[in-house]
Amino acid sequence: MNDFRDYYRNDLNMEDNQAPSVGMFPQILRSSYSSFRFSSFKKPPSLFSHVDDILKGSSEKTLNKDIFSNVNRCFEQLSKISRIFSVFSSDNESEKDIDEMIRKRDRKLVLTMVNEGFTELLDLTNELPIGMSLPILESLQGVEMILLRQLKIGHLPIAFTLIGRSDLAEMEAIRRGIKKSPGPTSSLARFQGSNPVFTNIESKKNENIFASKNMLEDTEKDGLMPLEMYSSMLFPSDKRMREAVRSLRSSRPILLRVQRSPEVSDHDFEHVKQEKLLLLCRRTLANSVGRGMLTLGTTQPVLAEAFPIPDLCLKGRVPPTNASLALDLNGAPPNMTMWPEFHNGVAAGLRIGLGQKQGVRDNINKITRTWIVYNRSNPQTSNNSATNQNRNSNASQINNERMNHSHGGFLMALGLQGHLSSLVVTDIYDYLTQGDTTTTVGVLLGMAATKRSTCDPSASKMLCLHIPSLLPPSFSAIEVPSVAQAAAVAGVGLLYQGSSHRLMTEFLLNEIGKRPTSDHSSHDREGYAMLCGISLGMVNLSKATSDDDLTPSRIGGGGLSDLHVEERLSRYILGGRDDFESRSRREAAERANASGAGFSEPEQCSRISEGDSINTDLTAPAATLALGLMYLRTGNKPIVSILNLPDTHFLLDYVRPDLLMLRIISRSLILWDDVEPTAEWIDAQIPDVVQESYDELKSNALRASGFMPNDEDISSADKEQSEADYPVDWRAIRQFYIYTVAGGCFGMGLRYAGTANPQAAAAIAERLCEFHKLREENDPVSIARKPERPILEMCLGCVAISLAMVMAGTGDVETMRLLREIRWRCDDDVRYGHHMAYGSALGLLFLGGGSCTLGREPEDIAALLLSFFPRYPIDTNDNQFHLQPLRHFYALAVRNNELETIDVDTRKPVFVPIEIEFKDKSKKKMKLTAPCLLPNEHIISHIRLDSDRYYPIEFRMPKRLSSVSKSSYTSILVKKKSGVLSYVQDPHSRRSLLIQSGGSKSGSTLELIQSFTEDPTLLAFAKYLCDDKKLPTIVRYGSRSGFGNSFEEFCASVLHECQTEEKPDLLPLYLSLYFWITTSESNSIQGASSCSVWDIRLIESYYSRSDNFSSSSRLMSTDFVALLSENMDRILSQQ
């Protein structure tokens, strides 16, 4: 017993008169003290001795790891420590690979510490002595992420926190739904993250830069200025986004530069300027569609305020005085700005976001009916509006009409994002009864998009009320605008999408070939029939099988076999007698006579009489697209045979040229897997007879211009053609060629939409340059091959849209240069629809500011076909061939695939190189710099960080991503290593702490460290403990103890070492050891605690064994450990 008492008295550094005796203990503890037999131990029990034996690898242990667990709860902490250090025991002596043994031990250590309740590194340094915390810290530093993945699911976030990876811990919590995703960062944070001016040190010197609020505020309320700042990290090396914003802005006066001849009078010159301004304003009015794509999902609404809708500025800015010239609308067509204002409202509403990130998804619940209705009654003032140019008593009424049109588009935009579900039936009734045509169209399409694929009965009734064919005979006299009927039919396709609903299938099939029953129903028949066909395809979207037969029962699971859908669609394409329509009209007449209505014949149209034959000019486009959507991705060859192209001049005379384009598009939809991203595939879509005749046009032009002899260079095909008896329609040949090429490009664009496939983009860009050359050049060959200008412009816009679909969201510079060159022409031949196509292509290229791409699911392809149907309006009021509001339905196919990297410490976006591995192993790994646009997630296998400045992260993309889990894979939290700068501050790795500390001769430690970290602990350490004059270039051990000449110099040295070697948690340990050595040196060993001696002994014991640590993860250098041992031996030798 005396041996034990002496041991603990010496251990606690107590005198004899201070040692406790048995009588000092309470009576309740005397029995326990006397009954406990210390003699069972060979030597006094000491936790330090026990840990020392473990670290040395001794076979004899002083204590058992569970010795304290059954004695008293006072020993709970000692029991934890004993169980933790039992992991360091040599239980794997048979393991030959030391590194593998250390990895297994480290994994077991993490699991043990988590079970014992240790959750942070700060717990180690606060609760354990230095000699015990150092081995644990060193083991945690060497833990590999792949080993952590094998831990229990519930322990992962805690384990990541324990090893100092707060980024992985928070990402795992986000993936489990415990925390919310940080979501997209603000525009100001993006701008600061891409600008080296806003570094820690430089920001103080340049704090007045960008201080003006005008640079941060969206003064024009169109979202383009914040977008330019937001996309500064996506495109940091050039000003492509600024050029896109300038091209699609419609809220500023247009630069109007008109040359004046000397003989032109002032009156005539003003007339010339108005004509030029009208042409430029035509492009301004068409920019809203492209601007909606550009600003898609880039802002969040303030629900306490009305959402701003920018003005359409129809003014010119005349240099050199920049005087403002307003467009004279007196000579303009009536309702010139009605549908452009509608598009303007849609573009403004699409800024709110698509709800695909968790932070955006929450807004679906936030947007209420009160806020939506409040925006309707918002009396915004318009200082720049073209409608306020007329200073008369009707200005207020005109402004109200303009706001009604804009609000109708705003409602449709909310519906495209799923926000209209908050409206009640009474709100919808008010909109439909009190609103104008644009509001009706916006509500119908918005509600259908909100309820897409749900077959909602209430939405179905609302749509059917606007389709006269679905109303009872007594309601047939109600006049419904043709655009509202077309919108309702398109809404039926969305509402019943993929359902194979029998009633709607039969109705839409009949509507394709319906004859006009009144003069009113003859308006916009082409667009109505085409939408019936697309809606029919959407109702039965990809429902047909890939069997090579024409069995009608293959569609809709056999429930539509009696409708003979394929047979009737084939007749709609090829023409003939419509027996079904004749029978339907006869039955309608019989029902009318039986009802005793007082008339024997139903109402008929006095303008059009088509007889019993099918008008293929109306039915063929609808039936062609319906077959393509119904048999999407099936590869059904018999159905494709219906869509075969003519192969002789005789057959070409019976097909309209633009129908060949639609047939090629539908064939590419059906033969989805056969579409190849090559120019040869596009050439293969051109019929041989068309290609040969088109080549002969070139030969004839060269011979006529004298560049080719008449008797030479004439192919056999040309000779056979010249000898043919059947005459060749050269005008039709030009049209057939350009339509087939445009159709091949559009089919390839749908097939590779959102993939950024370089081969597909190159093939389409080649055709785009070819068409652009035809438009611009006037050489003999171009003149001979050039079709009519409107056809050329339409096909040029179709090819531009196709290229933009492939490169959607990428912001590719080469593609942008092509599109900018194409859209630059502005004359009488470039119509409103052509400007809309070019602007849409540019906006699609920068979709969502470069953060979005296009999906490739069947419903996405249907939405793209509905939106980018290659027939654009002639003027602002044209809805004859396609309903203008449907141009915004691309939003249903948009996917937010931006990968954003956020620093977990600063919460700011940063640049980080990443590497993407695809599921298709034949594809090469892609290297990008985040933030960036990812390919579609279903083709990605792994994403990993490819940077030596940030801690490694690697994760595998799951097969299916929910809205919550997707946010954890598109917003990655990263942790920067110590001693390095970000890629904005140091793009070429020339300013690391290791390089600067070796070469820097001036500057304080605080200024240097402040550039590399924002950790308040490290900054306070540098400010209060280090020398603020300069950082020593070489660590000097000049004093007797070897720790340098001064305390400040020692602190600066260890701070530099901890920062460069990634061990900031070692700073408290260094300071404790320094103070113990210096205190013991001055006050002798008797003034120090034995715990400090044990700390140095445990450190020496731990590093004495090579199997305790890995050479790559050693925290304390060999020199420092040797220095500690030397000082300890010297101090002990003096006693």
mmCIF file of all heavy atoms in Angstrom, residues 66-92:
data_model
loop_
_atom_site.group_PDB
_atom_site.id
_atom_site.type_symbol
_atom_site.label_atom_id
_atom_site.label_comp_id
_atom_site.label_asym_id
_atom_site.label_seq_id
_atom_site.Cartn_x
_atom_site.Cartn_y
_atom_site.Cartn_z
ATOM 1 N N ASP A 66 -11.200 -2.565 -19.885
ATOM 2 C CA ASP A 66 -12.484 -2.456 -19.190
ATOM 3 C C ASP A 66 -12.327 -2.401 -17.676
ATOM 4 O O ASP A 66 -13.275 -2.658 -16.945
ATOM 5 C CB ASP A 66 -13.388 -3.634 -19.572
ATOM 6 C CG ASP A 66 -13.711 -3.658 -21.054
ATOM 7 O OD1 ASP A 66 -13.843 -2.555 -21.633
ATOM 8 O OD2 ASP A 66 -13.824 -4.754 -21.628
ATOM 9 N N ILE A 67 -11.117 -2.070 -17.201
ATOM 10 C CA ILE A 67 -10.873 -2.117 -15.767
ATOM 11 C C ILE A 67 -11.684 -1.066 -15.023
ATOM 12 O O ILE A 67 -12.112 -1.253 -13.886
ATOM 13 C CB ILE A 67 -9.364 -1.941 -15.475
ATOM 14 C CG1 ILE A 67 -9.075 -2.167 -14.001
ATOM 15 C CG2 ILE A 67 -8.913 -0.555 -15.912
ATOM 16 C CD1 ILE A 67 -9.376 -3.547 -13.529
ATOM 17 N N PHE A 68 -11.957 0.095 -15.655
ATOM 18 C CA PHE A 68 -12.666 1.177 -14.979
ATOM 19 C C PHE A 68 -14.173 1.150 -15.210
ATOM 20 O O PHE A 68 -14.897 1.951 -14.642
ATOM 21 C CB PHE A 68 -12.124 2.535 -15.435
ATOM 22 C CG PHE A 68 -10.673 2.734 -15.125
ATOM 23 C CD1 PHE A 68 -9.723 2.728 -16.133
ATOM 24 C CD2 PHE A 68 -10.247 2.933 -13.815
ATOM 25 C CE1 PHE A 68 -8.396 2.920 -15.856
ATOM 26 C CE2 PHE A 68 -8.906 3.120 -13.528
ATOM 27 C CZ PHE A 68 -7.975 3.113 -14.546
ATOM 28 N N SER A 69 -14.637 0.293 -16.083
ATOM 29 C CA SER A 69 -16.049 0.329 -16.452
ATOM 30 C C SER A 69 -16.962 -0.163 -15.339
ATOM 31 O O SER A 69 -18.105 0.262 -15.251
ATOM 32 C CB SER A 69 -16.274 -0.495 -17.720
ATOM 33 O OG SER A 69 -15.861 -1.847 -17.491
ATOM 34 N N ASN A 70 -16.467 -1.049 -14.474
ATOM 35 C CA ASN A 70 -17.320 -1.644 -13.452
ATOM 36 C C ASN A 70 -16.989 -1.157 -12.040
ATOM 37 O O ASN A 70 -17.453 -1.720 -11.057
ATOM 38 C CB ASN A 70 -17.195 -3.166 -13.491
ATOM 39 C CG ASN A 70 -17.619 -3.733 -14.830
ATOM 40 O OD1 ASN A 70 -18.576 -3.244 -15.423
ATOM 41 N ND2 ASN A 70 -16.899 -4.752 -15.303
ATOM 42 N N VAL A 71 -16.141 -0.132 -11.931
ATOM 43 C CA VAL A 71 -15.740 0.337 -10.605
ATOM 44 C C VAL A 71 -16.628 1.479 -10.138
ATOM 45 O O VAL A 71 -17.319 1.391 -9.131
ATOM 46 C CB VAL A 71 -14.265 0.765 -10.617
ATOM 47 C CG1 VAL A 71 -13.860 1.291 -9.254
ATOM 48 C CG2 VAL A 71 -13.393 -0.416 -11.012
ATOM 49 N N ASN A 72 -16.664 2.556 -10.891
ATOM 50 C CA ASN A 72 -17.396 3.737 -10.475
ATOM 51 C C ASN A 72 -17.599 4.617 -11.705
ATOM 52 O O ASN A 72 -16.777 4.626 -12.624
ATOM 53 C CB ASN A 72 -16.600 4.497 -9.409
ATOM 54 C CG ASN A 72 -17.490 5.514 -8.681
ATOM 55 O OD1 ASN A 72 -18.053 6.404 -9.290
ATOM 56 N ND2 ASN A 72 -17.595 5.339 -7.384
ATOM 57 N N ARG A 73 -18.709 5.382 -11.723
ATOM 58 C CA ARG A 73 -18.972 6.262 -12.855
ATOM 59 C C ARG A 73 -17.972 7.405 -12.937
ATOM 60 O O ARG A 73 -17.881 8.070 -13.962
ATOM 61 C CB ARG A 73 -20.381 6.835 -12.747
ATOM 62 C CG ARG A 73 -21.476 5.784 -12.879
ATOM 63 C CD ARG A 73 -22.851 6.434 -12.894
ATOM 64 N NE ARG A 73 -22.978 7.358 -14.005
ATOM 65 C CZ ARG A 73 -24.057 8.121 -14.213
ATOM 66 N NH1 ARG A 73 -25.072 8.055 -13.350
ATOM 67 N NH2 ARG A 73 -24.105 8.929 -15.243
ATOM 68 N N CYS A 74 -17.255 7.627 -11.865
ATOM 69 C CA CYS A 74 -16.218 8.661 -11.906
ATOM 70 C C CYS A 74 -15.120 8.304 -12.897
ATOM 71 O O CYS A 74 -14.393 9.186 -13.380
ATOM 72 C CB CYS A 74 -15.621 8.867 -10.519
ATOM 73 S SG CYS A 74 -16.818 9.426 -9.282
ATOM 74 N N PHE A 75 -14.977 7.027 -13.198
ATOM 75 C CA PHE A 75 -13.911 6.578 -14.098
ATOM 76 C C PHE A 75 -14.423 6.403 -15.530
ATOM 77 O O PHE A 75 -13.793 5.709 -16.335
ATOM 78 C CB PHE A 75 -13.327 5.257 -13.597
ATOM 79 C CG PHE A 75 -12.693 5.350 -12.248
ATOM 80 C CD1 PHE A 75 -13.372 4.936 -11.120
ATOM 81 C CD2 PHE A 75 -11.420 5.876 -12.104
ATOM 82 C CE1 PHE A 75 -12.799 5.024 -9.877
ATOM 83 C CE2 PHE A 75 -10.834 5.965 -10.859
ATOM 84 C CZ PHE A 75 -11.520 5.540 -9.722
ATOM 85 N N GLU A 76 -15.565 6.992 -15.866
ATOM 86 C CA GLU A 76 -16.141 6.812 -17.204
ATOM 87 C C GLU A 76 -15.227 7.380 -18.276
ATOM 88 O O GLU A 76 -15.027 6.773 -19.328
ATOM 89 C CB GLU A 76 -17.521 7.479 -17.254
ATOM 90 C CG GLU A 76 -18.228 7.283 -18.590
ATOM 91 C CD GLU A 76 -19.610 7.918 -18.599
ATOM 92 O OE1 GLU A 76 -20.045 8.405 -17.538
ATOM 93 O OE2 GLU A 76 -20.244 7.917 -19.664
ATOM 94 N N GLN A 77 -14.645 8.563 -18.024
ATOM 95 C CA GLN A 77 -13.763 9.172 -19.012
ATOM 96 C C GLN A 77 -12.502 8.342 -19.191
ATOM 97 O O GLN A 77 -12.018 8.169 -20.312
ATOM 98 C CB GLN A 77 -13.401 10.603 -18.584
ATOM 99 C CG GLN A 77 -12.683 11.415 -19.644
ATOM 100 C CD GLN A 77 -13.606 11.803 -20.785
ATOM 101 O OE1 GLN A 77 -14.805 11.589 -20.724
ATOM 102 N NE2 GLN A 77 -13.037 12.357 -21.840
ATOM 103 N N LEU A 78 -11.958 7.808 -18.080
ATOM 104 C CA LEU A 78 -10.765 6.966 -18.203
ATOM 105 C C LEU A 78 -11.075 5.694 -18.976
ATOM 106 O O LEU A 78 -10.240 5.201 -19.743
ATOM 107 C CB LEU A 78 -10.244 6.631 -16.802
ATOM 108 C CG LEU A 78 -9.808 7.812 -15.930
ATOM 109 C CD1 LEU A 78 -9.323 7.310 -14.582
ATOM 110 C CD2 LEU A 78 -8.721 8.611 -16.623
ATOM 111 N N SER A 79 -12.259 5.159 -18.770
ATOM 112 C CA SER A 79 -12.651 3.967 -19.513
ATOM 113 C C SER A 79 -12.740 4.248 -21.007
ATOM 114 O O SER A 79 -12.347 3.421 -21.829
ATOM 115 C CB SER A 79 -13.992 3.455 -18.980
ATOM 116 O OG SER A 79 -14.397 2.298 -19.670
ATOM 117 N N LYS A 80 -13.253 5.422 -21.378
ATOM 118 C CA LYS A 80 -13.315 5.795 -22.792
ATOM 119 C C LYS A 80 -11.919 5.855 -23.406
ATOM 120 O O LYS A 80 -11.672 5.336 -24.491
ATOM 121 C CB LYS A 80 -14.012 7.149 -22.952
ATOM 122 C CG LYS A 80 -15.508 7.122 -22.738
ATOM 123 C CD LYS A 80 -16.087 8.516 -23.001
ATOM 124 C CE LYS A 80 -17.598 8.529 -22.822
ATOM 125 N NZ LYS A 80 -18.172 9.864 -23.113
ATOM 126 N N ILE A 81 -11.016 6.515 -22.688
ATOM 127 C CA ILE A 81 -9.649 6.648 -23.204
ATOM 128 C C ILE A 81 -8.993 5.283 -23.345
ATOM 129 O O ILE A 81 -8.295 4.988 -24.333
ATOM 130 C CB ILE A 81 -8.832 7.559 -22.285
ATOM 131 C CG1 ILE A 81 -9.459 8.961 -22.242
ATOM 132 C CG2 ILE A 81 -7.388 7.643 -22.744
ATOM 133 C CD1 ILE A 81 -8.816 9.890 -21.249
ATOM 134 N N SER A 82 -9.228 4.418 -22.378
ATOM 135 C CA SER A 82 -8.639 3.082 -22.437
ATOM 136 C C SER A 82 -9.167 2.303 -23.634
ATOM 137 O O SER A 82 -8.402 1.618 -24.323
ATOM 138 C CB SER A 82 -8.942 2.333 -21.128
ATOM 139 O OG SER A 82 -8.425 1.037 -21.169
ATOM 140 N N ARG A 83 -10.441 2.400 -23.903
ATOM 141 C CA ARG A 83 -10.999 1.670 -25.039
ATOM 142 C C ARG A 83 -10.536 2.258 -26.368
ATOM 143 O O ARG A 83 -10.349 1.527 -27.342
ATOM 144 C CB ARG A 83 -12.531 1.691 -24.960
ATOM 145 C CG ARG A 83 -13.096 0.782 -23.884
ATOM 146 C CD ARG A 83 -14.597 0.597 -24.040
ATOM 147 N NE ARG A 83 -15.334 1.836 -23.837
ATOM 148 C CZ ARG A 83 -15.822 2.213 -22.658
ATOM 149 N NH1 ARG A 83 -15.626 1.449 -21.576
ATOM 150 N NH2 ARG A 83 -16.489 3.340 -22.537
ATOM 151 N N ILE A 84 -10.349 3.568 -26.403
ATOM 152 C CA ILE A 84 -9.871 4.182 -27.646
ATOM 153 C C ILE A 84 -8.452 3.734 -27.964
ATOM 154 O O ILE A 84 -8.131 3.354 -29.098
ATOM 155 C CB ILE A 84 -9.970 5.716 -27.550
ATOM 156 C CG1 ILE A 84 -11.442 6.153 -27.588
ATOM 157 C CG2 ILE A 84 -9.204 6.378 -28.687
ATOM 158 C CD1 ILE A 84 -11.635 7.633 -27.370
ATOM 159 N N PHE A 85 -7.585 3.742 -26.932
ATOM 160 C CA PHE A 85 -6.186 3.391 -27.198
ATOM 161 C C PHE A 85 -5.991 1.893 -27.342
ATOM 162 O O PHE A 85 -4.913 1.455 -27.758
ATOM 163 C CB PHE A 85 -5.284 3.950 -26.095
ATOM 164 C CG PHE A 85 -4.861 5.362 -26.336
ATOM 165 C CD1 PHE A 85 -5.582 6.424 -25.818
ATOM 166 C CD2 PHE A 85 -3.758 5.634 -27.120
ATOM 167 C CE1 PHE A 85 -5.201 7.724 -26.042
ATOM 168 C CE2 PHE A 85 -3.359 6.938 -27.354
ATOM 169 C CZ PHE A 85 -4.087 7.988 -26.817
ATOM 170 N N SER A 86 -6.989 1.126 -27.006
ATOM 171 C CA SER A 86 -6.866 -0.311 -27.269
ATOM 172 C C SER A 86 -6.823 -0.597 -28.761
ATOM 173 O O SER A 86 -6.377 -1.671 -29.181
ATOM 174 C CB SER A 86 -8.036 -1.055 -26.629
ATOM 175 O OG SER A 86 -9.266 -0.669 -27.216
ATOM 176 N N VAL A 87 -7.287 0.376 -29.592
ATOM 177 C CA VAL A 87 -7.219 0.203 -31.044
ATOM 178 C C VAL A 87 -5.779 0.174 -31.511
ATOM 179 O O VAL A 87 -5.450 -0.476 -32.519
ATOM 180 C CB VAL A 87 -8.002 1.351 -31.738
ATOM 181 C CG1 VAL A 87 -7.926 1.224 -33.252
ATOM 182 C CG2 VAL A 87 -9.450 1.356 -31.283
ATOM 183 N N PHE A 88 -4.867 0.847 -30.768
ATOM 184 C CA PHE A 88 -3.464 0.889 -31.177
ATOM 185 C C PHE A 88 -2.720 -0.389 -30.802
ATOM 186 O O PHE A 88 -1.518 -0.488 -31.074
ATOM 187 C CB PHE A 88 -2.764 2.088 -30.522
ATOM 188 C CG PHE A 88 -3.183 3.406 -31.088
ATOM 189 C CD1 PHE A 88 -4.288 4.070 -30.587
ATOM 190 C CD2 PHE A 88 -2.477 3.977 -32.127
ATOM 191 C CE1 PHE A 88 -4.680 5.292 -31.095
ATOM 192 C CE2 PHE A 88 -2.852 5.207 -32.649
ATOM 193 C CZ PHE A 88 -3.964 5.858 -32.133
ATOM 194 N N SER A 89 -3.391 -1.329 -30.135
ATOM 195 C CA SER A 89 -2.733 -2.576 -29.782
ATOM 196 C C SER A 89 -2.369 -3.354 -31.038
ATOM 197 O O SER A 89 -3.046 -3.278 -32.061
ATOM 198 C CB SER A 89 -3.644 -3.428 -28.885
ATOM 199 O OG SER A 89 -3.966 -2.732 -27.701
ATOM 200 N N SER A 90 -1.333 -4.135 -30.959
ATOM 201 C CA SER A 90 -0.840 -4.891 -32.117
ATOM 202 C C SER A 90 -1.646 -6.168 -32.271
ATOM 203 O O SER A 90 -1.167 -7.277 -32.008
ATOM 204 C CB SER A 90 0.648 -5.196 -31.963
ATOM 205 O OG SER A 90 1.389 -4.020 -31.810
ATOM 206 N N ASP A 91 -2.905 -6.006 -32.664
ATOM 207 C CA ASP A 91 -3.742 -7.185 -32.878
ATOM 208 C C ASP A 91 -3.577 -7.758 -34.268
ATOM 209 O O ASP A 91 -4.044 -8.860 -34.548
ATOM 210 C CB ASP A 91 -5.218 -6.819 -32.656
ATOM 211 C CG ASP A 91 -5.465 -6.375 -31.214
ATOM 212 O OD1 ASP A 91 -4.701 -6.817 -30.344
ATOM 213 O OD2 ASP A 91 -6.415 -5.591 -30.997
ATOM 214 N N ASN A 92 -2.973 -7.003 -35.172
ATOM 215 C CA ASN A 92 -2.825 -7.456 -36.547
ATOM 216 C C ASN A 92 -1.355 -7.695 -36.870
ATOM 217 O O ASN A 92 -0.824 -7.196 -37.850
ATOM 218 C CB ASN A 92 -3.411 -6.412 -37.516
ATOM 219 C CG ASN A 92 -4.878 -6.203 -37.279
ATOM 220 O OD1 ASN A 92 -5.593 -7.153 -36.983
ATOM 221 N ND2 ASN A 92 -5.324 -4.958 -37.425
#
